[in-house]
Every structure is written in C-alpha cells, then in structure tokens.
C-alpha cells in the first residue's frame, strides 16, 4: 500500500530555491496536461483508484529526484538569479552589476533567505 521510491535516486540534497524553480517551470498546469494524457491508468486515476492521487504525487516527487541539478541548465539560471556564481566567473550577458543587490549578495553568502538571520 505504501510507496518506496528510494531506488535509483540521483539527487537527494538540494537548495530550496532549486525546488521552487522546478515547481515554477514544471507547474501544476504542466502536470495537469501530463495527467490528462497519461492519467487513465487505473493505479494513477483518482476517479477509479482511491490511491490514484497518491500515486500521482509519488511519480511527481520521484521525477524531482532524477534531475542532475549539478549539470542542469536550469540550475545555472537559478544560480544567476540568486547571485551564486564563482568569484572569477562573470554573470552571463556581460552585465557585471546586474546582481549587485547588497541584500541578495549578503543572503547568498550567509545561506539565509526569507528575511531570517541566525
């Protein structure tokens, strides 16, 4: 009855910003489109199986673990948005001061987000 999707996990640790970006790019509307095409299978159909929504949630969560964040082009986008880049690597687009917001820089360096400081 329960799910154990811990096999073959590629990614087990991530920054919260990466998950937020994933949820922005692969939104509920994207998943709705996927499930409208593939959701008629009995075990993932909430209209037929009482665990159908649970299985959909399991599949969506498992897909997240299969992303290679370290080599993902989307990770580079998040890193640039958040101001995470190597000191000797300029941001893309040649705009050196595009991410020079002091708050964002301090937050990136401290690892603190959401206005909370330790």
């Amino acid at each position: 009855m329960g799910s154990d999707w811990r096999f073959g996990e590629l990614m087990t640790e991530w920054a919260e910003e990466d998950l937020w970006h994933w949820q922005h790019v692969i939104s509920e509307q994207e998943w709705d489109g996927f499930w409208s095409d593939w959701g008629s299978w009995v075990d993932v159909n909430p209209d037929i199986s009482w665990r159908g929504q649970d299985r959909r949630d399991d599949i969506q969560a498992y897909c997240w673990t299969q992303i290679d964040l370290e080599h993902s082009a989307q990770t580079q986008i998040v890193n640039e948005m958040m101001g995470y880049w190597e000191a000797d690597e300029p941001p893309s687009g040649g705009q050196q001061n595009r991410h020079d917001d002091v708050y964002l820089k301090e937050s990136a360096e401290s690892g603190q987000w959401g206005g909370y400081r330790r």
Side-chain angles (χ1 to χ4, degrees), residues 4-118:
D4 184 2
W5 290 76
R6 292 175 292 188
F7 59 89
E9 286 183 352
L10 179 62
M11 175 191 52
T12 57
E13 295 182 19
W14 59 83
E16 208 170 350
E17 295 82 14
D18 290 317
L19 180 58
W20 294 339
H21 188 66
W22 158 263
Q23 291 168 339
H24 173 73
V25 172
I26 310 295
S27 64
E28 283 300 316
Q29 292 79 21
E30 295 290 331
W31 279 112
D32 288 344
F34 175 84
W35 291 120
S36 71
D37 290 339
W38 297 98
S40 60
W41 296 343
V42 173
D43 36 338
V44 296
N45 188 331
D47 297 329
I48 298 172
S49 171
W50 67 279
R51 296 299 300 249
Q53 186 61 49
D54 294 334
R55 296 297 77 86
R56 288 182 178 200
D57 293 342
D58 290 341
I59 291 168
Q60 290 175 212
Y62 182 72
C63 287
W64 167 246
T65 69
Q66 298 307 295
I67 298 172
D68 183 357
L69 280 179
E70 186 175 338
H71 298 102
S72 168
Q74 291 294 330
T75 297
Q76 183 63 32
I77 291 170
V78 171
N79 289 348
E80 287 185 12
M81 288 169 46
M82 302 307 293
Y84 299 140
W85 54 73
E86 299 298 323
D88 59 346
E89 177 187 334
S92 67
Q95 298 175 358
Q96 288 289 349
N97 60 359
R98 189 173 92 195
H99 298 290
D100 284 347
D101 183 298
V102 174
Y103 176 76
L104 289 177
K105 183 177 179 187
E106 287 176 357
S107 296
E109 290 170 354
S110 70
Q112 302 297 309
W113 292 102
Y116 301 105
R117 297 273 192 233
R118 289 183 202 187

